[in-house]
Amino acid sequence: MTLTAVKAAAYTHHLHHTSPDPERLATFYADAMEMTAEKHGAGWLVRGPGRRMIFTKGAANGLGHVGMGVRDVEGLAELKARAEKEGLAPKPVNATLFSPGAFGVTDPDGNLIVFGHAREDKPMKGLRGPLQHVTFATQDIARFQAFYVDKLGFAVSDTVIRQSDGKVMTVFMRSNHEHHTIGVFFQNRTGVDHHSYEAGEWGVMKDWCDRFSERHIKLDWGPGRHGPGNNL
């Protein structure tokens, strides 16, 4: 099986979320995650070193799209050809953070994934923490995995299996050298579960914890070691 997405070195470039109050959400992320917020068309663009978020008006917790960057235009072309061959009907997308040629495909749960070659970005100052992965909830893990692995050429990195009956509960999939760029949990709903940033080392994680503490932002988990991958 050809690992087309891995060959293209696809990575999480940006996220587009919807909110009834996108300005409020943009303001929160700009302050909490040490990013700058600016008007962006009808919405807001929030940026920091290696992390970019777009917020537009819409449903709470809504996903506009996941923006997956690729290493070069050749890899993008191969990925689009693979999507066409697999019958995914890739559609041209005018994604402002990508150069012309970006395209989007919709996964079985209705999540729009946009692949593109990133425009040159101006250097940003601030704490290290690029976007690293997005994890979804699904009611059908096998179908979800088949879309990303069999149709787009992601590779499975890890699975979590329930001991009581052998049911697959979690699948981690990669599209570059990192442990995973897309993850999926079996739940009784569909949509985004969480997105993640790469701190890289303990000292940077400490700096982020200090920043959240100064803003009275509660930590719901950690810091500590994750299960699969054993990463900090």
Side-chain angles (χ1 to χ4, degrees), residues 22 24 50 52 56 66 80 131 139 189 221:
R24 181 168 176 259
R52 308 158 194 86
T56 57
V66 176
K80 184 177 181 181
L131 274 170
Q139 298 179 57
R189 67 177 186 90
W221 187 89

Side-chain angles (χ1 to χ4, degrees), residues 181-197:
T181 46
I182 296 284
V184 61
F185 296 153
F186 175 72
Q187 297 183 24
N188 61 358
R189 67 177 186 90
T190 59
V192 174
D193 182 271
H194 70 268
H195 68 267
S196 180
Y197 305 84

Side-chain angles (χ1 to χ4, degrees), residues 3-10 71 79 152-155 174-177:
L3 300 178
T4 310
V6 179
K7 184 179 177 182
R71 179 167 46 206
L79 197 50
L152 290 172
F154 281 66
R174 66 182 181 88
S175 55
N176 54 42
H177 65 283

Side-chain angles (χ1 to χ4, degrees), residues 134-169:
V134 184
T135 298
F136 294 96
T138 188
Q139 298 179 57
D140 191 335
I141 278 193
R143 185 177 67 163
F144 195 98
Q145 176 181 327
F147 177 86
Y148 286 92
V149 175
D150 299 340
K151 304 293 187 182
L152 290 172
F154 281 66
V156 174
S157 302
D158 262 322
T159 57
V160 177
I161 298 173
R162 189 164 60 194
Q163 288 187 337
S164 60
D165 58 4
K167 182 177 178 60
V168 176
M169 301 299 291

Side-chain angles (χ1 to χ4, degrees), residues 53-189:
M53 307 281 286
I54 297 173
F55 300 108
T56 57
K57 195 170 184 64
N61 304 316
L63 177 68
H65 69 265
V66 176
M68 299 288 292
V70 297
R71 179 167 46 206
D72 50 41
V73 294
E74 290 78 16
L76 181 64
E78 289 183 18
L79 197 50
K80 184 177 181 181
R82 171 75 179 269
E84 289 172 340
K85 180 181 178 181
E86 298 291 349
L88 302 184
K91 295 179 173 59
V93 174
N94 183 22
T96 55
L97 299 184
F98 286 149
S99 300
F103 69 90
V105 293
T106 303
D107 74 16
D109 287 341
N111 304 302
L112 177 61
I113 312 298
V114 175
F115 293 93
H117 189 245
R119 296 180 184 273
E120 187 173 350
D121 212 354
K122 63 182 180 182
M124 302 291 293
K125 295 181 179 180
L127 281 173
R128 182 183 185 278
L131 274 170
Q132 200 275 321
H133 70 258
V134 184
T135 298
F136 294 96
T138 188
Q139 298 179 57
D140 191 335
I141 278 193
R143 185 177 67 163
F144 195 98
Q145 176 181 327
F147 177 86
Y148 286 92
V149 175
D150 299 340
K151 304 293 187 182
L152 290 172
F154 281 66
V156 174
S157 302
D158 262 322
T159 57
V160 177
I161 298 173
R162 189 164 60 194
Q163 288 187 337
S164 60
D165 58 4
K167 182 177 178 60
V168 176
M169 301 299 291
T170 306
V171 178
F172 296 103
M173 294 165 283
R174 66 182 181 88
S175 55
N176 54 42
H177 65 283
E178 297 170 328
H179 182 267
H180 61 285
T181 46
I182 296 284
V184 61
F185 296 153
F186 175 72
Q187 297 183 24
N188 61 358
R189 67 177 186 90

